[in-house]
Amino acid sequence: MKATSLLVAGVLSAVVHAVHAVHAADGIADPLPGTEVGDIERGRLIVANRQLGLCLLCHSGPFPDEPFQGNLAPDLSGAGERSSAAQLRQRIVDPGRINPATIMPAYFKADGLSQVAPQYRGKTILTAQQVEDVVAYLQTLRTPLAPQPKERP
């Protein structure tokens, strides 16, 4: 069991280091290693899930059925217009690289963190695939166009 844990930790560390190698100027250009194309519906479920993503703890967004949305961070509505997939991926993986003072957790970082409970050390909050799913979903969030006045006949 201990050998398996060490192997998993080693693989995870290699993946995280590989992720940091493909950073663009303000984003992670390539999908995370070992992932498939992000699934929009799975991404939406992660963002709205108060046990897994916890996004709505700080963010609000286009979730009319979700009460008590946060107001500490930007509204997710329009996220796909404001940010590229690379920028969104970076902000999910390790937002501290963009803003060292951020309160947003690094969802796909296991090294260099402080105040992590022993049972969570060496683990990421989301898997690489879950990050890609969330990026795919956030890319669909566009600001709706304002209704246009109807033309009179």
Side-chain angles (χ1 to χ4, degrees), residues 19-73:
V19 166
H20 290 291
V22 295
H23 282 273
D26 68 342
I28 300 172
D30 298 324
L32 300 181
T35 61
E36 299 173 2
V37 174
D39 181 277
I40 294 167
E41 186 55 33
R42 284 191 316 236
R44 184 188 187 292
L45 292 172
I46 292 166
V47 170
N49 186 309
R50 293 180 188 273
Q51 307 302 310
L52 179 59
L54 294 171
C55 302
L56 299 183
L57 183 65
C58 296
H59 295 275
S60 59
F63 306 96
D65 296 338
E66 294 293 332
F68 310 114
Q69 296 182 32
N71 62 4
L72 297 173

Side-chain angles (χ1 to χ4, degrees), residues 1-18:
M1 181 73 171
K2 193 169 194 168
T4 302
S5 295
L6 289 174
L7 178 63
V8 169
V11 169
L12 179 61
S13 180
V15 168
V16 171
H17 290 307

Side-chain angles (χ1 to χ4, degrees), residues 4 25 33 38 50 53 57 60-61 91 93 98 134-135 140 143 145-146:
T4 302
R50 293 180 188 273
L57 183 65
S60 59
R91 283 158 179 78
V93 167
I98 302 293
V134 170
V135 169
T140 69
T143 305
L145 297 173

Side-chain angles (χ1 to χ4, degrees), residues 109-117 121:
K109 181 178 175 183
D111 297 329
L113 302 174
S114 61
Q115 300 180 1
V116 178
R121 289 187 187 139

